[in-house]
Amino acid sequence: MSGYDLAVIGLGYVGMPLAKEATGAGLRVVGLDVDQRKVDALNSGHSYIDDLSDADLDSMLGNQFTATLDQAILAASSAIVICVPTPLDEDHRPDLSAVRGAVESVGRYLQRGTLVVLESTTYPGTTDEVVRPILEEASGLTAGVDFHLAFSPERIDPGNAKYGLRNTPKVVGGYTEACRDRAAAFYARFIEQVVTVSGTREAEMAKLLENTYRHVNIALVNEMAIFCDELGVNLWEAIEAASTKPFGFQKFLPGPGVGGHCIPVDPSYLSHAVRKLGYPFRFVELAQEINERMPAYVVARVQRLLNRARKPVNGSRVLLMGVTYKPDIADERETPAVPIARAFRDLGAELAFADPYVKHWTVDGVKVPREDDLREAVERADVTVLLQQHSVFDLEMVEKHAVLLLDTRGVLSEGERVERL
């Protein structure tokens, strides 16, 4: 079997951009996944990732990239990077089952001199306390002596046209200094700037700090949105005014709730780590509470709009515009549109959605009707809720023709029929 410079485990929103940049830099890359459909799609030139076009994938395949289910390729790879999901379980605790499964596979095929890097977001200590023992027991090799072990947090921002993997600084922490240096040299082959820290725990914490910072600040403006409405204060205008300050302030905007993997999930990993010390991480848990109540607040605001028009929610036609978690991408992970749709359905509303990036949408296993003609949809709906401001939406038309409209993104002008969150 011929050798590979890199094996990427987990061919999703993190793994595929990594494989793309490494392949483009001349590395021989193989992708490993447990999903036959993903492997087949990639090998046939069909991308299911927003930031990876079919043309990008064709170029990768032309440069010898291949996807496989065969774990034996790990034995022929000089570097192995693990990019598998780290969700929460039903009790809102970290679920490392995918990480453990991937690491066990690596351990069975691990060779001397191999670099193993975990990129999956997790709590501090995971690389050393969870990954390392599994690798050492399965392989009979010793980290820092027989193989190199490091953690490097992913910083993928789906849909970001300015910052991709190559020009976003890469944080790297190693189990030993030699591990750190080996990992830093590896990433420097296809990433412009590598930032090293003293250990794996610091690298793990850096990722959680980044996302907890956003989580807390989003919760701040979300809570302000609720009481500013009652105070009669235009929070959107206040935020724009505050953002003119050239120092000491960063603009965050309220919304219908937080989505994606990072904001709703990652801070809970940090909270879990703190709780193991015997006390709560109050900032994170309060932010979680505020952000998780936003979908209910959106529904309450819609109820108020309909009530003013002497209409009950029960039997009203409610149109949800944009059901992805970010604008201009198809990613629905942890989208707040789901709890909002669930609440409207429980109240007896007739639901429909409009989203150019989502062809079929189900909530709790029940299909939500899709509207193709946006103008006709907003004219027929008793109330339209703008959840995501996709750039292809004709917002001027929506503003003009909607019967009632709740704008959760602050992009429309308030008026008799239009309210902002």
Side-chain angles (χ1 to χ4, degrees):
M1 182 186 294
S2 57
Y4 297 98
D5 299 306
L6 168 63
V8 178
I9 304 179
L11 304 180
Y13 282 86
V14 176
M16 286 311 297
L18 174 67
K20 172 190 168 185
E21 291 297 342
T23 303
L27 278 67
R28 183 146 191 254
V29 182
V30 61
L32 177 65
D33 205 283
V34 295
D35 189 334
Q36 179 77 60
R37 293 170 302 174
K38 287 184 175 181
V39 169
D40 290 345
L42 293 172
N43 286 333
S44 64
H46 175 64
S47 174
Y48 45 81
I49 304 295
D50 285 302
D51 292 336
L52 185 75
S53 67
D54 287 353
D56 291 332
L57 185 53
D58 284 342
S59 177
M60 292 173 64
L61 294 168
N63 286 319
Q64 294 188 296
F65 171 78
T66 186
T68 184
L69 300 170
D70 183 8
Q71 297 178 0
I73 55 93
L74 296 171
S77 304
S78 61
I80 301 169
V81 179
I82 300 167
C83 306
V84 296
T86 47
L88 300 173
D89 65 16
E90 292 180 355
D91 298 319
H92 234 62
R93 295 176 304 193
D95 179 0
L96 295 181
S97 56
V99 170
R100 292 178 186 274
V103 173
E104 287 167 1
S105 298
V106 173
R108 286 193 292 271
Y109 293 96
L110 188 59
Q111 304 295 306
R112 289 182 183 275
T114 303
L115 167 66
V116 180
V117 184
L118 178 64
E119 286 205 2
S120 305
T121 304
T122 186
Y123 55 83
T126 301
T127 306
D128 185 21
E129 298 167 10
V130 177
V131 174
R132 181 176 60 84
I134 294 174
L135 289 175
E136 292 183 340
E137 183 176 352
S139 68
L141 303 176
T142 301
V145 177
D146 301 313
F147 68 94
H148 296 91
L149 178 63
F151 181 83
S152 180
E154 61 90 3
R155 280 175 161 175
I156 299 298
D157 184 19
N160 191 324
K162 183 176 181 182
Y163 290 108
L165 186 77
R166 176 174 290 277
N167 64 347
T168 299
K170 197 83 170 85
V171 174
V172 173
Y175 175 61
T176 65
E177 286 189 12
C179 292
R180 177 199 66 198
D181 293 344
R182 169 72 187 276
F186 164 73
Y187 281 115
R189 296 176 70 180
F190 53 92
I191 293 176
E192 293 173 6
Q193 182 183 357
V194 176
V195 179
T196 58
V197 293
S198 59
T200 56
R201 285 173 172 80
E202 287 73 21
E204 290 161 335
M205 181 62 82
K207 170 66 173 179
L208 296 181
L209 176 59
E210 292 168 19
N211 289 332
T212 300
Y213 171 81
R214 292 164 61 201
H215 188 50
V216 168
N217 279 283
I218 291 169
L220 170 66
V221 291
N222 275 339
E223 187 166 38
M224 291 183 75
I226 294 171
F227 67 70
C228 280
D229 173 61
E230 296 183 30
L231 290 172
V233 174
N234 186 329
L235 176 62
W236 302 93
E237 189 176 333
I239 291 171
E240 290 305 317
S243 68
T244 62
K245 186 179 180 182
F247 54 89
F249 182 83
Q250 183 177 354
K251 182 169 76 172
F252 287 85
L253 297 173
V258 291
H261 179 279
C262 296
I263 304 301
V265 177
D266 293 355
S268 293
Y269 274 69
L270 186 51
S271 179
H272 169 79
V274 176
R275 278 198 170 275
K276 288 198 298 183
L277 301 176
Y279 47 85
F281 189 179
R282 289 179 291 175
F283 254 118
V284 163
E285 292 174 16
L286 178 60
Q288 200 91 25
E289 178 186 326
I290 293 168
N291 287 333
E292 285 181 353
R293 72 186 267 204
M294 290 309 291
Y297 178 67
V298 167
V299 173
R301 288 288 298 273
V302 171
Q303 284 180 295
R304 189 177 80 183
L305 265 174
L306 287 169
N307 191 52
R308 287 175 183 164
R310 299 179 180 271
K311 293 179 180 179
V313 176
N314 193 346
S316 289
R317 290 184 60 83
V318 177
L319 175 68
L320 303 182
M321 280 182 60
V323 297
T324 60
Y325 91 89
K326 281 187 69 178
D328 300 332
I329 63 169
D331 197 339
E332 301 169 42
R333 291 177 298 169
E334 306 293 333
T335 173
V338 168
I340 290 170
R342 182 181 297 132
F344 279 128
R345 186 179 276 159
D346 289 345
L347 290 170
E350 291 183 24
L351 265 187
F353 83 98
D355 195 310
Y357 296 95
V358 179
K359 302 305 179 188
H360 305 283
W361 191 44
T362 59
V363 175
D364 301 331
V366 180
K367 187 176 181 180
V368 180
R370 183 178 190 269
E371 298 284 1
D372 293 316
D373 187 323
L374 187 57
R375 175 167 173 170
E376 181 182 318
V378 298
E379 288 178 338
R380 288 175 58 224
D382 292 297
V383 62
T384 297
V385 188
L386 177 62
L387 296 179
Q388 200 54 266
Q389 72 279 33
H390 295 312
S391 57
V392 296
F393 282 150
D394 184 348
L395 296 181
E396 189 175 332
M397 178 278 294
V398 171
E399 193 173 340
K400 181 178 179 181
H401 291 279
V403 178
L404 292 172
L405 179 60
L406 178 65
D407 169 17
T408 71
R409 296 297 177 178
V411 293
L412 300 174
S413 302
E414 287 196 288
E416 189 178 331
R417 295 173 295 104
V418 181
E419 279 193 10
R420 287 197 213 178
L421 191 67

